[in-house]
Every structure is written in C-alpha cells, then in structure tokens.
Amino acid sequence: MSDSPLRIHQIREQLRQQLDAGVFDKDHKLPSERQLSELFAVSRMTLKDALSALEAEGLIYREGRRGWFVAVPRLIYNPLSRSHFHRMVEEQHRRADTEVLSIQSELASPELMRVMELEPLTPIERLTRRRSIDGRAVLLVENCLVSRYFPDILKEDLTQSLTELYRQRYGYRNSRSRFDVQPAAAPASVAKALHLSPGQMVLKIIRVNYNQAGELIDSEFEYWRHDAVCIRIDSQCRVETEAILK
Amino acid sequence: MSDSPLRIHQIREQLRQQLDAGVFDKDHKLPSERQLSELFAVSRMTLKDALSALEAEGLIYREGRRGWFVAVPRLIYNPLSRSHFHRMVEEQHRRADTEVLSIQSELASPELMRVMELEPLTPIERLTRRRSIDGRAVLLVENCLVSRYFPDILKEDLTQSLTELYRQRYGYRNSRSRFDVQPAAAPASVAKALHLSPGQMVLKIIRVNYNQAGELIDSEFEYWRHDAVCIRIDSQCRVETEAILK
DNA sequence: TAGTGGTCTAGACCACGGG
DNA sequence: CCGTGGTCTAGACCACTAC
C-alpha cells in the first residue's frame, strides 16, 4: 500500500471531466472495467462503485454484459398528454420503435383487481411492449385492457398508439387519467427486456384511464430506464385541455 | 468452499420473507451487516449487495452509518395540489416537521437563470429546508424566490407553507406550475442533510411557479428519498381546480 | 472462443454514530 | 469508547455477448 490511491470520489471527478470534455467514446462505449481499473490503479470493485455512482447521476449507463456507455439526453415525457409515444419522440428529433413482446387473454390478477377496482374473474387482455429510442430499449409497457370494451382488438396493429386505436376503432376518448410515479426495482422480466442488471432501479408509472363515460377501460404499467426520462407536467396544459374538451 | 453458499438472489428472497412476516425489528432496525453476513454465511460485500437490492425495491432503507431499517409506507404526493406539506402529511396520519437549514440573499446562478428565465444579476432569496415524516428526514427543499416580489420575507416564519405565506402576506395566488420529475444522484449537501450515502439516488423535482399575473415568482428544487414518496396525479383534479378558480 | 460484466471471497482500515 | 457502515484490495469463477 503506497499512500492512498485514488478514491472512488476522485475517480468520479476524473471520469466526469473526461466525459464532459467528450474525450471518451467513438461509438460512446467506455473501455472495459478491467482496463479502467488498471488506468486508475484501483481494484475492479472500487472502479465499479465509481461507475455506479456516475450511473446514478445519469452520466453513463450499463447495458447487460455489454459494457458501459455515455448517457444520452433524457426524453421529456408529459403523461398528461396521453401516450402518442412515437409522436413525442419524433418531436424531440429521435427515432422511436415499438415491439410487441407478448399478448394474452387472461383473468385479472389480484393486484390488478385492486388497481383497477375490478370484479373477480374479469377477463382482460394483457399486452407487453418494448419501446426504444434511437435503437436503445428504454421502456417496457404492460397494458391491461378490460376485454368487454375491446372486442377483436387482437386483430389490430398493436405497435401504434393505443390511444389512437381506442378513438378510431372504438370511439373512446380519454376523459380522465390517474397515474402514480415512483422509483422501483425492475422485476426480472423487465430487467431482461431492457438489458438491465437484475434488481436495478427503474422509474415505474402506473396509470389507469377512463373513457368519456367515466368507465375505467384500461391500465398501464410503465417501466422506464431511470436515466432515459424526465417527466414534465405543466398545469398550464390543463386550461388548454379543458378548452379543447368543450 | 462448500457447494455454493447462498447467492445474493436467495438472500434477497429469504430476507424478503422475513420482512413480510414481520419477523425482524423491535424498533424496526435490522441486525448489523456483520451479523447478517455470518447468519447467511456469505461475505459482507455480498450481503451488502443483497441489502442494496432490497433497498432498490423499497423494502428497507439505510441511514448514514446508523444501520438498515425496515421501510415505511410512501407518502402519496400530489404536486398539482401545491405543497401544503404539513396538511398532506397529516391527512395521511403521519407527523410532519420542517426545519430551516439556511437562508441567504444572493444573485441567481447560471443554472437558476436558465430554469427561471431570469435576467443576469437578478437578486434572489435562497431558502433551504429539511422536511421529516414521523421524525425521519425524507425531503430537502430549496426555494429560490425573486427578491423583488417578496419584500421583507426573511422576517416571516418560514417553516410554514410558502404557498400560504404568498397568499396571505403578498396576495399571490399560484396560477400555473411546471415541474420536472427525474431520478438523480443526491448532491453532497443533500446526501448529508438526509443521512444518505454520497451519490445515492433520490427523486428530484424541479418546479417553477407563476402568480395570477403570469409572473414567474419562485422555483423549488425538491430532493426526496427515493423510497419515501409516490407521486400521484389525477387529471380529474384539473376540473375541480378550474372550477374553484372561477 | 475470447472478452465482457456479474458475482463472490476473506480479509483490512477508516470515519462517523451513539452511549 | 466501541460498533456501525463506507471503502478498498487482489484475487477467483461464472454466464453471457459478440465475433
């Protein structure tokens, strides 16, 4: 043991400078943990701690066993303007993709019954989709639709905005939404789909939507990579929304 | 080395069961890391990883060098209903406290100028307060008020709701708010005030408030312990709010 | 197959907390 | 003061990715 080698905090500062200066990254991938730990003359565990701290700051992110990458600007997401994921992303000059991962008819789980205030044995459709920005998977969405409101919905193109589909195909307008936002650990299935380490933190958004008749027609569980999104709400929109509804 | 000892995931499951069953905790403090690592026959580093995973799930939390504690229900926080922290907390049958940590007159920083769209050299008051629920520090709020709108405000009781103070003392009503919500790393000062480890993750809320004349009068930086809050927004409230304003 | 990050060990010293 | 968590080491094996 020489003096005291670089501490975790000093490594953070040094890496932060390098990142700010844009020194790293042709294709925005950082050198491997082993290379960096040699570079800074610390053990790999210590270096990982430093990288994890920068990850919490949102300066870098981790992708499965693929390595560390420099962060990308967050998507500004206004949940009051109801989905339209693709439009929102394109307005911010990014490229959006949606993949349907699974879809199945089933009965509402106890948790879902609680969230949606459903009767026992209510048939629902459960739709799981993964959404990407500029080719990077950032969001896993699980929609639970009350089947009786959506006959034959499985025959539709489900990569588009569901809101649009509701309106055009079924004549439903979204009159009211309630949503909860909270940090949470990614469930195993979500972690896998988003290339996260098991138990890594995500931003979880639970929302329930009512149609113009006040009927609770569907709910949505969103899991966002924590560094990929900034939720923006402007109470000004309320006045505009109200005006439009009239 | 016997076979393979308990892995991190198995420890998580076991601890989760113990927690759900309410086995631990007289005063809801967990045994020390060293004790637990012996109990599960793993190294302390491994045990820490397991605890960190449970922390991400929101089942336990860490307090400075004091130890690990079982989690407490999240505060349901509706930012559209504008602060009134104490009322909100008491409605949820908890006890609220507010401490003023610092207050000083200064010129707007570059970052603040950007957020609040201020002229250079604008004088502001910067007020830092710590808020607790049932004796646990969960929120650090930093308010930045444009000085010219709030003459002599430093003479007031600043532990109360600022919204109330604005209304009663200055006749300002909040006509519009915009806020951004995103996960972030706690800056050192915030980490210290909330007894967090440096760089730990928090939920950051930046909001700007306009008065009835559409003037941007103050902004607020909130840093919440990530396990202490659930943000709830109900678009239904909008109609009610609008009705009240008329 | 080579290289990556994920996990894990068995120690150690330090800074801070509370009695 | 002692016990706590925070940090750190110098190795190791494994599961997976990318080629």
Side-chain angles (χ1 to χ4, degrees):
Chain A
M1 278 110 271
S2 55
D3 255 343
S4 67
L6 294 172
R7 316 156 201 281
I8 185 173
H9 182 257
Q10 295 172 306
I11 298 177
R12 275 177 71 178
E13 290 306 325
Q14 292 203 16
L15 277 174
R16 198 200 317 280
Q17 287 176 16
Q18 303 284 310
L19 289 168
D20 289 347
V23 171
F24 275 127
D25 333 305
K26 308 294 172 194
D27 50 350
H28 56 220
K29 184 179 184 308
L30 268 61
S32 76
E33 292 182 357
R34 285 171 179 83
Q35 286 174 11
L36 288 173
S37 66
E38 278 187 38
L39 180 61
F40 290 105
V42 295
S43 75
R44 217 180 117 214
M45 291 293 313
T46 303
L47 182 98
K48 279 168 79 83
D49 285 346
L51 292 178
S52 296
L54 291 168
E55 180 186 35
E57 286 184 65
L59 290 177
I60 59 178
Y61 65 92
R62 200 187 319 197
E63 192 109 348
R65 279 176 164 85
R66 268 175 277 202
W68 295 86
F69 302 83
V70 307
V72 139
R74 294 174 189 265
L75 180 76
I76 308 291
Y77 174 36
N78 182 342
L80 282 182
S81 74
R82 191 65 173 100
S83 246
H84 295 299
F85 179 77
H86 285 258
R87 175 143 57 92
M88 188 171 62
V89 171
E90 277 151 21
E91 280 171 358
Q92 295 177 41
H93 310 99
R94 320 274 286 270
R95 183 171 50 81
D97 287 296
T98 299
E99 304 159 78
V100 174
L101 294 190
S102 81
I103 173 155
Q104 48 199 118
S105 305
E106 57 186 54
L107 298 180
S109 69
E111 190 209 351
L112 190 60
M113 284 166 45
R114 185 177 50 74
V115 171
M116 295 186 70
E117 300 161 11
L118 295 174
E119 302 292 315
L121 305 178
T122 306
I124 60 159
E125 315 295 333
R126 197 153 69 89
L127 166 63
T128 305
R129 299 182 296 174
R130 175 169 52 193
R131 295 186 136 166
S132 306
I133 299 177
D134 293 337
R136 178 186 172 217
V138 295
L139 166 64
L140 191 125
V141 197
E142 195 172 81
N143 284 88
C144 298
L145 327 189
V146 176
S147 304
R148 67 173 174 275
Y149 293 127
F150 301 99
D152 294 326
I153 192 162
L154 303 194
K155 295 174 185 164
E156 304 291 333
D157 169 19
L158 295 172
T159 62
Q160 62 175 305
S161 159
L162 287 186
T163 318
E164 280 301 298
L165 188 58
Y166 292 177
R167 194 171 59 79
Q168 294 174 4
R169 172 77 167 72
Y170 299 97
Y172 294 148
R173 278 181 330 187
N174 181 253
S175 76
R176 178 189 172 195
S177 299
R178 180 168 61 77
F179 49 93
D180 288 345
V181 180
Q182 56 182 322
S189 61
V190 174
K192 200 170 177 188
L194 297 184
H195 311 301
L196 299 167
S197 308
Q200 209 170 327
M201 210 183 262
V202 292
L203 200 63
K204 181 179 183 181
I205 305 182
I206 305 175
R207 63 187 299 162
V208 294
N209 300 304
Y210 300 79
N211 68 11
Q212 64 270 32
E215 296 162 325
L216 202 167
I217 56 179
D218 83 318
S219 69
E220 194 170 287
F221 296 76
E222 302 183 0
Y223 299 90
W224 289 85
R225 285 193 75 126
H226 70 77
D227 59 294
V229 68
C230 170
I231 295 173
R232 173 164 297 174
I233 292 170
D234 190 334
S235 66
Q236 184 73 4
C237 297
R238 303 187 304 186
V239 182
E240 294 159 10
T241 311
E242 293 300 320
I244 292 168
L245 287 180
K246 277 163 195 165
Chain B
M1 280 108 274
S2 56
D3 256 346
S4 68
L6 294 174
R7 317 160 201 283
I8 186 173
H9 182 257
Q10 294 172 307
I11 298 176
R12 276 176 70 177
E13 290 307 323
Q14 293 202 17
L15 277 173
R16 198 200 319 281
Q17 287 176 18
Q18 303 283 312
L19 288 168
D20 289 347
V23 171
F24 275 127
D25 332 306
K26 308 294 172 195
D27 50 350
H28 59 219
K29 183 177 184 310
L30 269 63
S32 76
E33 293 181 358
R34 285 171 179 83
Q35 287 174 10
L36 288 173
S37 65
E38 277 186 39
L39 180 61
F40 289 106
V42 294
S43 75
R44 215 180 120 214
M45 290 294 314
T46 302
L47 182 99
K48 279 169 78 84
D49 285 347
L51 291 178
S52 296
L54 291 168
E55 181 186 35
E57 284 184 67
L59 290 177
I60 60 179
Y61 65 92
R62 201 188 317 197
E63 191 110 345
R65 280 175 163 86
R66 268 174 274 202
W68 293 87
F69 301 83
V70 307
V72 139
R74 294 174 189 265
L75 179 76
I76 308 291
Y77 173 37
N78 183 343
L80 281 183
S81 74
R82 190 63 172 102
S83 245
H84 295 298
F85 179 77
H86 285 258
R87 174 141 58 91
M88 188 171 61
V89 171
E90 276 151 23
E91 280 171 358
Q92 295 177 43
H93 310 99
R94 319 276 284 272
R95 182 170 52 81
D97 286 298
T98 299
E99 303 160 77
V100 174
L101 294 190
S102 81
I103 174 156
Q104 48 200 119
S105 305
E106 58 186 53
L107 298 181
S109 69
E111 190 207 353
L112 191 60
M113 284 167 44
R114 186 177 49 75
V115 170
M116 294 185 73
E117 300 162 11
L118 294 175
E119 301 293 315
L121 304 178
T122 305
I124 60 159
E125 315 294 334
R126 197 153 68 89
L127 166 63
T128 306
R129 299 182 296 174
R130 174 167 54 193
R131 297 187 135 167
S132 306
I133 299 177
D134 293 336
R136 176 185 173 220
V138 296
L139 167 64
L140 189 125
V141 198
E142 194 172 83
N143 284 89
C144 299
L145 326 190
V146 176
S147 303
R148 67 171 173 276
Y149 293 126
F150 301 98
D152 294 327
I153 192 161
L154 303 195
K155 296 174 184 162
E156 304 291 333
D157 169 18
L158 296 171
T159 62
Q160 64 175 304
S161 159
L162 288 186
T163 318
E164 280 302 299
L165 188 58
Y166 292 176
R167 194 171 60 79
Q168 294 173 5
R169 174 75 168 72
Y170 299 96
Y172 294 147
R173 279 179 331 190
N174 181 254
S175 75
R176 178 190 173 194
S177 299
R178 179 168 61 78
F179 48 92
D180 288 345
V181 181
Q182 57 183 319
S189 62
V190 174
K192 199 169 177 189
L194 297 183
H195 310 301
L196 299 166
S197 309
Q200 208 169 327
M201 210 183 261
V202 292
L203 200 62
K204 181 179 183 181
I205 305 181
I206 305 175
R207 65 186 300 163
V208 294
N209 300 305
Y210 300 79
N211 69 9
Q212 65 270 31
E215 296 163 325
L216 203 166
I217 55 177
D218 83 319
S219 69
E220 195 170 285
F221 295 75
E222 302 183 359
Y223 299 89
W224 289 85
R225 284 193 76 126
H226 71 77
D227 59 293
V229 67
C230 171
I231 294 172
R232 173 164 297 174
I233 292 170
D234 191 332
S235 66
Q236 186 73 5
C237 297
R238 301 185 306 184
V239 183
E240 294 159 12
T241 310
E242 293 300 319
I244 291 167
L245 286 180
K246 279 165 197 163

